[in-house]
Amino acid sequence: MENLSPFFITFTVIFTSILASPSSCSRLKNQVGLFVFGDSLFDPGNNQYVNGSRKDSSNNWPYGESYFKHPTGRLSDGLIVPDFIAEFMNLPIFTPYLKPGAHHRLTDGANFAAAGAGVLVQTHPGSLNLWLQLSYFKEAEKLLRQKLGNSKTKETLGRAIYLFSIGGNDFFDYYTKHPNSTQAQHKQFVEMVIGNLTMVLEDIYKMGGRKFAFQNAGPLGCTPGMRASNPTGKCIDEPSLLSRLHNKALPKVLKRLETNLPGFRYSIFDFYHSLLARISNPSRYGFKDGKSSCCGSGAYRATLFSCGVGTLGKDYELCSNPKDYVFFDGAHPTQSADLQPAKLLWDGPLSVTAPYNVKQFYQHF
């Protein structure tokens, strides 16, 4: 994969770190940073800086209309879940880690997520897969050590929260390529995804990470895009089945890591049932439509990459109020639909976010 050279990014971050205010060191004692890994649900715009990546329409209007008033590379009309979590943690809204130019302090954290990313290297070749995101985190860790020293860096990384939302692209890709796979093959593939994810978590732990938060895999077969591909207009179960297998395996693996790795703690937000509830009964949660997209073309306004000026959908439709919709485009929630899960991830009850929520990580560990 070709992307911005590590030297260029390293120089940029070092330069801006040097320019950080002298008072920044005094903030480190109690500061909790946030490091984000994931796919398009958590991407703040990294995908637009990855050469050869799958192109999407997130650089076009009306993406960003509800908050930024211009496109940012987020596949949303505004803020996404990590933006809200950063705000709850009194951190700045992160710019993409790969964006050239000024960056926030790495002691605050960074967002490495990118659209199209999977846990596996072979998922969507050319995207910023989880292993490449890990390599950028390792780069950031080296920069912190140069600035703070080994001891302070380990303390900083030990206080930080590591937020993940990834796996959906692996399952979409597998479903597309293997539509007639057996239950045993499903389980084998999920085990491979979980195994790779586990190795990444262990690497971050070795560098000092202790607090890991996860938004589990969503009901993939119930996005407007999948619904539109079904002649009946109903959800397609097989992609969601892969999600359910993943969500069943994830807590078992994290529990084992907690047992084997001193100080390892984890939080899992049940995004699957949270989003499915809003799709199935939108009015209960303040929405009017849980099946169609706010922006796009075709059935359910869900044609891929059809939302926005200059995209395939030159005659795309746009709803009058994104707050009425769970989905902004064929696969991604609106800002309003992301705020509700963000609040549950932050301080939701044990029935939704367990065994800890992110606020508990922030305040007590």
mmCIF file of all heavy atoms in Angstrom, residues 165-209:
data_model
loop_
_atom_site.group_PDB
_atom_site.id
_atom_site.type_symbol
_atom_site.label_atom_id
_atom_site.label_comp_id
_atom_site.label_asym_id
_atom_site.label_seq_id
_atom_site.Cartn_x
_atom_site.Cartn_y
_atom_site.Cartn_z
ATOM 1 N N SER A 165 -13.839 0.062 16.782
ATOM 2 C CA SER A 165 -15.034 -0.372 16.059
ATOM 3 C C SER A 165 -14.559 -0.914 14.728
ATOM 4 O O SER A 165 -14.317 -0.161 13.781
ATOM 5 C CB SER A 165 -16.013 0.783 15.834
ATOM 6 O OG SER A 165 -17.100 0.364 15.031
ATOM 7 N N ILE A 166 -14.378 -2.226 14.652
ATOM 8 C CA ILE A 166 -13.819 -2.816 13.439
ATOM 9 C C ILE A 166 -14.243 -4.274 13.335
ATOM 10 O O ILE A 166 -14.523 -4.925 14.341
ATOM 11 C CB ILE A 166 -12.278 -2.673 13.427
ATOM 12 C CG1 ILE A 166 -11.725 -2.880 12.015
ATOM 13 C CG2 ILE A 166 -11.621 -3.579 14.460
ATOM 14 C CD1 ILE A 166 -10.352 -2.296 11.810
ATOM 15 N N GLY A 167 -14.320 -4.756 12.114
ATOM 16 C CA GLY A 167 -14.757 -6.121 11.842
ATOM 17 C C GLY A 167 -15.860 -6.177 10.807
ATOM 18 O O GLY A 167 -15.979 -7.153 10.060
ATOM 19 N N GLY A 168 -16.664 -5.112 10.744
ATOM 20 C CA GLY A 168 -17.789 -5.098 9.809
ATOM 21 C C GLY A 168 -17.360 -5.287 8.367
ATOM 22 O O GLY A 168 -18.001 -6.032 7.612
ATOM 23 N N ASN A 169 -16.283 -4.640 7.957
ATOM 24 C CA ASN A 169 -15.827 -4.780 6.572
ATOM 25 C C ASN A 169 -15.325 -6.188 6.283
ATOM 26 O O ASN A 169 -15.490 -6.692 5.168
ATOM 27 C CB ASN A 169 -14.727 -3.758 6.278
ATOM 28 C CG ASN A 169 -15.273 -2.360 6.097
ATOM 29 O OD1 ASN A 169 -16.281 -2.146 5.440
ATOM 30 N ND2 ASN A 169 -14.621 -1.384 6.716
ATOM 31 N N ASP A 170 -14.698 -6.819 7.274
ATOM 32 C CA ASP A 170 -14.270 -8.206 7.099
ATOM 33 C C ASP A 170 -15.480 -9.095 6.812
ATOM 34 O O ASP A 170 -15.439 -9.958 5.926
ATOM 35 C CB ASP A 170 -13.555 -8.704 8.360
ATOM 36 C CG ASP A 170 -12.315 -7.891 8.683
ATOM 37 O OD1 ASP A 170 -11.293 -8.067 7.998
ATOM 38 O OD2 ASP A 170 -12.382 -7.091 9.629
ATOM 39 N N PHE A 171 -16.561 -8.870 7.553
ATOM 40 C CA PHE A 171 -17.738 -9.724 7.405
ATOM 41 C C PHE A 171 -18.511 -9.413 6.132
ATOM 42 O O PHE A 171 -19.008 -10.324 5.452
ATOM 43 C CB PHE A 171 -18.625 -9.590 8.645
ATOM 44 C CG PHE A 171 -17.898 -9.933 9.917
ATOM 45 C CD1 PHE A 171 -18.054 -9.159 11.057
ATOM 46 C CD2 PHE A 171 -17.031 -11.009 9.967
ATOM 47 C CE1 PHE A 171 -17.375 -9.460 12.225
ATOM 48 C CE2 PHE A 171 -16.332 -11.322 11.126
ATOM 49 C CZ PHE A 171 -16.503 -10.546 12.258
ATOM 50 N N PHE A 172 -18.620 -8.129 5.781
ATOM 51 C CA PHE A 172 -19.233 -7.773 4.499
ATOM 52 C C PHE A 172 -18.453 -8.404 3.347
ATOM 53 O O PHE A 172 -19.027 -8.975 2.411
ATOM 54 C CB PHE A 172 -19.244 -6.251 4.314
ATOM 55 C CG PHE A 172 -20.471 -5.563 4.839
ATOM 56 C CD1 PHE A 172 -20.368 -4.437 5.631
ATOM 57 C CD2 PHE A 172 -21.745 -6.024 4.528
ATOM 58 C CE1 PHE A 172 -21.497 -3.789 6.119
ATOM 59 C CE2 PHE A 172 -22.894 -5.382 5.000
ATOM 60 C CZ PHE A 172 -22.755 -4.261 5.797
ATOM 61 N N ASP A 173 -17.139 -8.292 3.391
ATOM 62 C CA ASP A 173 -16.282 -8.807 2.327
ATOM 63 C C ASP A 173 -16.405 -10.322 2.219
ATOM 64 O O ASP A 173 -16.515 -10.880 1.118
ATOM 65 C CB ASP A 173 -14.832 -8.399 2.610
ATOM 66 C CG ASP A 173 -13.897 -8.695 1.462
ATOM 67 O OD1 ASP A 173 -14.128 -8.160 0.361
ATOM 68 O OD2 ASP A 173 -12.914 -9.448 1.651
ATOM 69 N N TYR A 174 -16.408 -10.983 3.360
ATOM 70 C CA TYR A 174 -16.525 -12.447 3.361
ATOM 71 C C TYR A 174 -17.885 -12.878 2.814
ATOM 72 O O TYR A 174 -17.974 -13.806 2.000
ATOM 73 C CB TYR A 174 -16.347 -12.975 4.779
ATOM 74 C CG TYR A 174 -16.416 -14.483 4.862
ATOM 75 C CD1 TYR A 174 -15.322 -15.270 4.529
ATOM 76 C CD2 TYR A 174 -17.591 -15.117 5.275
ATOM 77 C CE1 TYR A 174 -15.385 -16.655 4.594
ATOM 78 C CE2 TYR A 174 -17.665 -16.498 5.350
ATOM 79 C CZ TYR A 174 -16.558 -17.264 5.009
ATOM 80 O OH TYR A 174 -16.628 -18.633 5.063
ATOM 81 N N TYR A 175 -18.949 -12.201 3.229
ATOM 82 C CA TYR A 175 -20.291 -12.531 2.738
ATOM 83 C C TYR A 175 -20.381 -12.362 1.230
ATOM 84 O O TYR A 175 -20.959 -13.195 0.527
ATOM 85 C CB TYR A 175 -21.329 -11.643 3.430
ATOM 86 C CG TYR A 175 -22.669 -11.650 2.747
ATOM 87 C CD1 TYR A 175 -23.510 -12.755 2.814
ATOM 88 C CD2 TYR A 175 -23.094 -10.538 1.999
ATOM 89 C CE1 TYR A 175 -24.739 -12.775 2.174
ATOM 90 C CE2 TYR A 175 -24.321 -10.541 1.363
ATOM 91 C CZ TYR A 175 -25.132 -11.663 1.442
ATOM 92 O OH TYR A 175 -26.344 -11.671 0.790
ATOM 93 N N THR A 176 -19.783 -11.282 0.713
ATOM 94 C CA THR A 176 -19.831 -11.014 -0.724
ATOM 95 C C THR A 176 -19.097 -12.095 -1.519
ATOM 96 O O THR A 176 -19.563 -12.529 -2.576
ATOM 97 C CB THR A 176 -19.202 -9.638 -1.029
ATOM 98 O OG1 THR A 176 -19.919 -8.637 -0.310
ATOM 99 C CG2 THR A 176 -19.271 -9.328 -2.512
ATOM 100 N N LYS A 177 -17.956 -12.522 -1.004
ATOM 101 C CA LYS A 177 -17.129 -13.490 -1.725
ATOM 102 C C LYS A 177 -17.548 -14.937 -1.483
ATOM 103 O O LYS A 177 -17.258 -15.812 -2.307
ATOM 104 C CB LYS A 177 -15.662 -13.320 -1.324
ATOM 105 C CG LYS A 177 -15.064 -11.994 -1.762
ATOM 106 C CD LYS A 177 -13.642 -11.838 -1.259
ATOM 107 C CE LYS A 177 -13.036 -10.509 -1.711
ATOM 108 N NZ LYS A 177 -11.673 -10.299 -1.142
ATOM 109 N N HIS A 178 -18.219 -15.198 -0.352
ATOM 110 C CA HIS A 178 -18.584 -16.576 0.006
ATOM 111 C C HIS A 178 -20.049 -16.634 0.440
ATOM 112 O O HIS A 178 -20.350 -16.947 1.599
ATOM 113 C CB HIS A 178 -17.683 -17.087 1.127
ATOM 114 C CG HIS A 178 -16.227 -16.942 0.849
ATOM 115 N ND1 HIS A 178 -15.521 -17.816 0.042
ATOM 116 C CD2 HIS A 178 -15.326 -16.013 1.270
ATOM 117 C CE1 HIS A 178 -14.254 -17.444 -0.020
ATOM 118 N NE2 HIS A 178 -14.124 -16.353 0.709
ATOM 119 N N PRO A 179 -20.960 -16.339 -0.473
ATOM 120 C CA PRO A 179 -22.382 -16.254 -0.075
ATOM 121 C C PRO A 179 -22.985 -17.591 0.351
ATOM 122 O O PRO A 179 -24.018 -17.600 1.025
ATOM 123 C CB PRO A 179 -23.056 -15.723 -1.347
ATOM 124 C CG PRO A 179 -22.152 -16.139 -2.459
ATOM 125 C CD PRO A 179 -20.772 -16.070 -1.904
ATOM 126 N N ASN A 180 -22.350 -18.701 -0.022
ATOM 127 C CA ASN A 180 -22.922 -20.011 0.292
ATOM 128 C C ASN A 180 -22.087 -20.783 1.307
ATOM 129 O O ASN A 180 -22.142 -22.012 1.367
ATOM 130 C CB ASN A 180 -23.055 -20.839 -0.992
ATOM 131 C CG ASN A 180 -23.974 -20.185 -2.015
ATOM 132 O OD1 ASN A 180 -25.077 -19.753 -1.675
ATOM 133 N ND2 ASN A 180 -23.523 -20.112 -3.254
ATOM 134 N N SER A 181 -21.322 -20.068 2.121
ATOM 135 C CA SER A 181 -20.469 -20.732 3.098
ATOM 136 C C SER A 181 -21.299 -21.377 4.197
ATOM 137 O O SER A 181 -22.427 -20.969 4.481
ATOM 138 C CB SER A 181 -19.466 -19.750 3.691
ATOM 139 O OG SER A 181 -20.140 -18.663 4.290
ATOM 140 N N THR A 182 -20.716 -22.389 4.830
ATOM 141 C CA THR A 182 -21.408 -23.146 5.873
ATOM 142 C C THR A 182 -21.237 -22.477 7.230
ATOM 143 O O THR A 182 -20.410 -21.579 7.413
ATOM 144 C CB THR A 182 -20.852 -24.572 5.946
ATOM 145 O OG1 THR A 182 -19.480 -24.515 6.371
ATOM 146 C CG2 THR A 182 -20.928 -25.265 4.586
ATOM 147 N N GLN A 183 -22.000 -22.951 8.196
ATOM 148 C CA GLN A 183 -21.887 -22.443 9.560
ATOM 149 C C GLN A 183 -20.481 -22.664 10.096
ATOM 150 O O GLN A 183 -19.916 -21.793 10.773
ATOM 151 C CB GLN A 183 -22.914 -23.154 10.448
ATOM 152 C CG GLN A 183 -22.892 -22.725 11.903
ATOM 153 C CD GLN A 183 -23.654 -21.435 12.143
ATOM 154 O OE1 GLN A 183 -24.139 -20.810 11.208
ATOM 155 N NE2 GLN A 183 -23.763 -21.045 13.411
ATOM 156 N N ALA A 184 -19.901 -23.817 9.801
ATOM 157 C CA ALA A 184 -18.551 -24.116 10.263
ATOM 158 C C ALA A 184 -17.545 -23.139 9.647
ATOM 159 O O ALA A 184 -16.605 -22.688 10.320
ATOM 160 C CB ALA A 184 -18.171 -25.548 9.918
ATOM 161 N N GLN A 185 -17.716 -22.802 8.383
ATOM 162 C CA GLN A 185 -16.828 -21.846 7.719
ATOM 163 C C GLN A 185 -17.004 -20.445 8.300
ATOM 164 O O GLN A 185 -16.035 -19.695 8.439
ATOM 165 C CB GLN A 185 -17.089 -21.861 6.215
ATOM 166 C CG GLN A 185 -16.624 -23.137 5.537
ATOM 167 C CD GLN A 185 -17.099 -23.250 4.090
ATOM 168 O OE1 GLN A 185 -18.207 -22.811 3.743
ATOM 169 N NE2 GLN A 185 -16.269 -23.835 3.239
ATOM 170 N N HIS A 186 -18.247 -20.094 8.625
ATOM 171 C CA HIS A 186 -18.503 -18.811 9.292
ATOM 172 C C HIS A 186 -17.693 -18.713 10.585
ATOM 173 O O HIS A 186 -17.002 -17.725 10.837
ATOM 174 C CB HIS A 186 -19.991 -18.673 9.639
ATOM 175 C CG HIS A 186 -20.865 -18.441 8.452
ATOM 176 N ND1 HIS A 186 -22.217 -18.698 8.475
ATOM 177 C CD2 HIS A 186 -20.593 -17.972 7.217
ATOM 178 C CE1 HIS A 186 -22.742 -18.398 7.305
ATOM 179 N NE2 HIS A 186 -21.779 -17.953 6.526
ATOM 180 N N LYS A 187 -17.785 -19.742 11.395
ATOM 181 C CA LYS A 187 -17.088 -19.737 12.683
ATOM 182 C C LYS A 187 -15.580 -19.680 12.497
ATOM 183 O O LYS A 187 -14.874 -18.988 13.242
ATOM 184 C CB LYS A 187 -17.488 -20.974 13.485
ATOM 185 C CG LYS A 187 -18.924 -20.939 13.992
ATOM 186 C CD LYS A 187 -19.242 -22.164 14.837
ATOM 187 C CE LYS A 187 -20.669 -22.090 15.380
ATOM 188 N NZ LYS A 187 -21.006 -23.281 16.207
ATOM 189 N N GLN A 188 -15.086 -20.405 11.506
ATOM 190 C CA GLN A 188 -13.651 -20.400 11.247
ATOM 191 C C GLN A 188 -13.170 -19.009 10.849
ATOM 192 O O GLN A 188 -12.107 -18.553 11.284
ATOM 193 C CB GLN A 188 -13.327 -21.413 10.151
ATOM 194 C CG GLN A 188 -11.838 -21.584 9.892
ATOM 195 C CD GLN A 188 -11.568 -22.646 8.829
ATOM 196 O OE1 GLN A 188 -12.438 -22.978 8.018
ATOM 197 N NE2 GLN A 188 -10.370 -23.188 8.835
ATOM 198 N N PHE A 189 -13.964 -18.334 10.021
ATOM 199 C CA PHE A 189 -13.574 -16.994 9.595
ATOM 200 C C PHE A 189 -13.612 -16.018 10.764
ATOM 201 O O PHE A 189 -12.698 -15.209 10.946
ATOM 202 C CB PHE A 189 -14.494 -16.496 8.470
ATOM 203 C CG PHE A 189 -14.124 -15.136 7.966
ATOM 204 C CD1 PHE A 189 -13.014 -14.957 7.151
ATOM 205 C CD2 PHE A 189 -14.875 -14.020 8.317
ATOM 206 C CE1 PHE A 189 -12.652 -13.690 6.697
ATOM 207 C CE2 PHE A 189 -14.520 -12.756 7.866
ATOM 208 C CZ PHE A 189 -13.407 -12.594 7.052
ATOM 209 N N VAL A 190 -14.649 -16.078 11.576
ATOM 210 C CA VAL A 190 -14.747 -15.202 12.744
ATOM 211 C C VAL A 190 -13.570 -15.444 13.685
ATOM 212 O O VAL A 190 -12.994 -14.497 14.233
ATOM 213 C CB VAL A 190 -16.088 -15.407 13.471
ATOM 214 C CG1 VAL A 190 -16.090 -14.722 14.835
ATOM 215 C CG2 VAL A 190 -17.234 -14.870 12.618
ATOM 216 N N GLU A 191 -13.199 -16.692 13.860
ATOM 217 C CA GLU A 191 -12.046 -17.004 14.707
ATOM 218 C C GLU A 191 -10.770 -16.364 14.169
ATOM 219 O O GLU A 191 -9.925 -15.896 14.943
ATOM 220 C CB GLU A 191 -11.870 -18.527 14.805
ATOM 221 C CG GLU A 191 -12.906 -19.206 15.675
ATOM 222 C CD GLU A 191 -12.801 -20.723 15.628
ATOM 223 O OE1 GLU A 191 -11.890 -21.240 14.922
ATOM 224 O OE2 GLU A 191 -13.617 -21.401 16.275
ATOM 225 N N MET A 192 -10.621 -16.325 12.842
ATOM 226 C CA MET A 192 -9.452 -15.701 12.244
ATOM 227 C C MET A 192 -9.459 -14.193 12.511
ATOM 228 O O MET A 192 -8.421 -13.602 12.836
ATOM 229 C CB MET A 192 -9.409 -15.973 10.737
ATOM 230 C CG MET A 192 -8.171 -15.411 10.041
ATOM 231 S SD MET A 192 -7.924 -16.084 8.384
ATOM 232 C CE MET A 192 -9.433 -15.569 7.556
ATOM 233 N N VAL A 193 -10.613 -13.559 12.382
ATOM 234 C CA VAL A 193 -10.730 -12.126 12.658
ATOM 235 C C VAL A 193 -10.406 -11.851 14.127
ATOM 236 O O VAL A 193 -9.613 -10.955 14.450
ATOM 237 C CB VAL A 193 -12.146 -11.615 12.308
ATOM 238 C CG1 VAL A 193 -12.349 -10.183 12.808
ATOM 239 C CG2 VAL A 193 -12.380 -11.687 10.801
ATOM 240 N N ILE A 194 -11.008 -12.623 15.020
ATOM 241 C CA ILE A 194 -10.777 -12.445 16.460
ATOM 242 C C ILE A 194 -9.310 -12.692 16.809
ATOM 243 O O ILE A 194 -8.717 -11.980 17.631
ATOM 244 C CB ILE A 194 -11.691 -13.385 17.274
ATOM 245 C CG1 ILE A 194 -13.159 -12.927 17.183
ATOM 246 C CG2 ILE A 194 -11.241 -13.452 18.728
ATOM 247 C CD1 ILE A 194 -13.501 -11.725 18.008
ATOM 248 N N GLY A 195 -8.708 -13.690 16.172
ATOM 249 C CA GLY A 195 -7.304 -13.991 16.437
ATOM 250 C C GLY A 195 -6.396 -12.842 16.067
ATOM 251 O O GLY A 195 -5.465 -12.495 16.812
ATOM 252 N N ASN A 196 -6.635 -12.220 14.920
ATOM 253 C CA ASN A 196 -5.831 -11.067 14.503
ATOM 254 C C ASN A 196 -6.061 -9.877 15.416
ATOM 255 O O ASN A 196 -5.123 -9.166 15.781
ATOM 256 C CB ASN A 196 -6.154 -10.701 13.055
ATOM 257 C CG ASN A 196 -5.363 -11.510 12.049
ATOM 258 O OD1 ASN A 196 -4.347 -11.068 11.537
ATOM 259 N ND2 ASN A 196 -5.831 -12.723 11.772
ATOM 260 N N LEU A 197 -7.318 -9.647 15.794
ATOM 261 C CA LEU A 197 -7.631 -8.557 16.712
ATOM 262 C C LEU A 197 -6.909 -8.760 18.041
ATOM 263 O O LEU A 197 -6.341 -7.815 18.612
ATOM 264 C CB LEU A 197 -9.142 -8.485 16.930
ATOM 265 C CG LEU A 197 -9.640 -7.477 17.967
ATOM 266 C CD1 LEU A 197 -9.252 -6.051 17.596
ATOM 267 C CD2 LEU A 197 -11.163 -7.576 18.124
ATOM 268 N N THR A 198 -6.892 -9.991 18.525
ATOM 269 C CA THR A 198 -6.231 -10.295 19.792
ATOM 270 C C THR A 198 -4.747 -9.959 19.740
ATOM 271 O O THR A 198 -4.185 -9.390 20.687
ATOM 272 C CB THR A 198 -6.425 -11.782 20.141
ATOM 273 O OG1 THR A 198 -7.817 -12.069 20.234
ATOM 274 C CG2 THR A 198 -5.762 -12.116 21.471
ATOM 275 N N MET A 199 -4.090 -10.288 18.637
ATOM 276 C CA MET A 199 -2.664 -9.988 18.513
ATOM 277 C C MET A 199 -2.398 -8.490 18.545
ATOM 278 O O MET A 199 -1.415 -8.030 19.135
ATOM 279 C CB MET A 199 -2.115 -10.614 17.224
ATOM 280 C CG MET A 199 -1.976 -12.127 17.297
ATOM 281 S SD MET A 199 -1.125 -12.834 15.860
ATOM 282 C CE MET A 199 -2.450 -12.819 14.641
ATOM 283 N N VAL A 200 -3.278 -7.712 17.941
ATOM 284 C CA VAL A 200 -3.130 -6.253 17.975
ATOM 285 C C VAL A 200 -3.296 -5.740 19.403
ATOM 286 O O VAL A 200 -2.520 -4.895 19.875
ATOM 287 C CB VAL A 200 -4.142 -5.582 17.020
ATOM 288 C CG1 VAL A 200 -4.174 -4.067 17.229
ATOM 289 C CG2 VAL A 200 -3.806 -5.907 15.572
ATOM 290 N N LEU A 201 -4.289 -6.252 20.108
ATOM 291 C CA LEU A 201 -4.510 -5.826 21.496
ATOM 292 C C LEU A 201 -3.305 -6.166 22.368
ATOM 293 O O LEU A 201 -2.891 -5.367 23.223
ATOM 294 C CB LEU A 201 -5.765 -6.493 22.062
ATOM 295 C CG LEU A 201 -7.090 -6.205 21.349
ATOM 296 C CD1 LEU A 201 -8.227 -6.945 22.035
ATOM 297 C CD2 LEU A 201 -7.376 -4.717 21.284
ATOM 298 N N GLU A 202 -2.729 -7.324 22.158
ATOM 299 C CA GLU A 202 -1.565 -7.719 22.936
ATOM 300 C C GLU A 202 -0.379 -6.809 22.658
ATOM 301 O O GLU A 202 0.394 -6.477 23.573
ATOM 302 C CB GLU A 202 -1.211 -9.177 22.632
ATOM 303 C CG GLU A 202 -2.229 -10.166 23.202
ATOM 304 C CD GLU A 202 -1.998 -11.594 22.747
ATOM 305 O OE1 GLU A 202 -1.356 -11.792 21.685
ATOM 306 O OE2 GLU A 202 -2.456 -12.519 23.442
ATOM 307 N N ASP A 203 -0.225 -6.377 21.411
ATOM 308 C CA ASP A 203 0.846 -5.439 21.075
ATOM 309 C C ASP A 203 0.655 -4.106 21.796
ATOM 310 O O ASP A 203 1.608 -3.524 22.324
ATOM 311 C CB ASP A 203 0.907 -5.210 19.563
ATOM 312 C CG ASP A 203 1.870 -6.157 18.870
ATOM 313 O OD1 ASP A 203 2.340 -7.107 19.526
ATOM 314 O OD2 ASP A 203 2.155 -5.955 17.676
ATOM 315 N N ILE A 204 -0.581 -3.609 21.785
ATOM 316 C CA ILE A 204 -0.857 -2.332 22.462
ATOM 317 C C ILE A 204 -0.632 -2.482 23.964
ATOM 318 O O ILE A 204 -0.092 -1.581 24.614
ATOM 319 C CB ILE A 204 -2.299 -1.866 22.164
ATOM 320 C CG1 ILE A 204 -2.452 -1.561 20.658
ATOM 321 C CG2 ILE A 204 -2.663 -0.632 22.989
ATOM 322 C CD1 ILE A 204 -3.867 -1.241 20.232
ATOM 323 N N TYR A 205 -1.011 -3.615 24.509
ATOM 324 C CA TYR A 205 -0.779 -3.875 25.942
ATOM 325 C C TYR A 205 0.711 -3.833 26.262
ATOM 326 O O TYR A 205 1.120 -3.255 27.277
ATOM 327 C CB TYR A 205 -1.373 -5.237 26.319
ATOM 328 C CG TYR A 205 -1.124 -5.629 27.753
ATOM 329 C CD1 TYR A 205 -1.987 -5.229 28.772
ATOM 330 C CD2 TYR A 205 -0.007 -6.395 28.095
ATOM 331 C CE1 TYR A 205 -1.751 -5.584 30.094
ATOM 332 C CE2 TYR A 205 0.240 -6.753 29.419
ATOM 333 C CZ TYR A 205 -0.630 -6.347 30.413
ATOM 334 O OH TYR A 205 -0.385 -6.685 31.721
ATOM 335 N N LYS A 206 1.525 -4.434 25.411
ATOM 336 C CA LYS A 206 2.971 -4.448 25.641
ATOM 337 C C LYS A 206 3.552 -3.033 25.668
ATOM 338 O O LYS A 206 4.539 -2.770 26.339
ATOM 339 C CB LYS A 206 3.665 -5.269 24.557
ATOM 340 C CG LYS A 206 3.421 -6.764 24.656
ATOM 341 C CD LYS A 206 4.036 -7.496 23.472
ATOM 342 C CE LYS A 206 3.710 -8.983 23.512
ATOM 343 N NZ LYS A 206 4.228 -9.679 22.297
ATOM 344 N N MET A 207 2.896 -2.113 24.945
ATOM 345 C CA MET A 207 3.375 -0.735 24.918
ATOM 346 C C MET A 207 2.807 0.098 26.057
ATOM 347 O O MET A 207 3.129 1.275 26.183
ATOM 348 C CB MET A 207 3.031 -0.095 23.560
ATOM 349 C CG MET A 207 3.879 -0.629 22.413
ATOM 350 S SD MET A 207 3.586 0.258 20.864
ATOM 351 C CE MET A 207 2.029 -0.451 20.371
ATOM 352 N N GLY A 208 1.926 -0.503 26.856
ATOM 353 C CA GLY A 208 1.408 0.203 28.027
ATOM 354 C C GLY A 208 -0.095 0.320 28.102
ATOM 355 O O GLY A 208 -0.639 0.732 29.127
ATOM 356 N N GLY A 209 -0.811 0.002 27.023
ATOM 357 C CA GLY A 209 -2.264 0.126 27.026
ATOM 358 C C GLY A 209 -2.926 -0.825 28.014
ATOM 359 O O GLY A 209 -2.523 -1.988 28.123
#
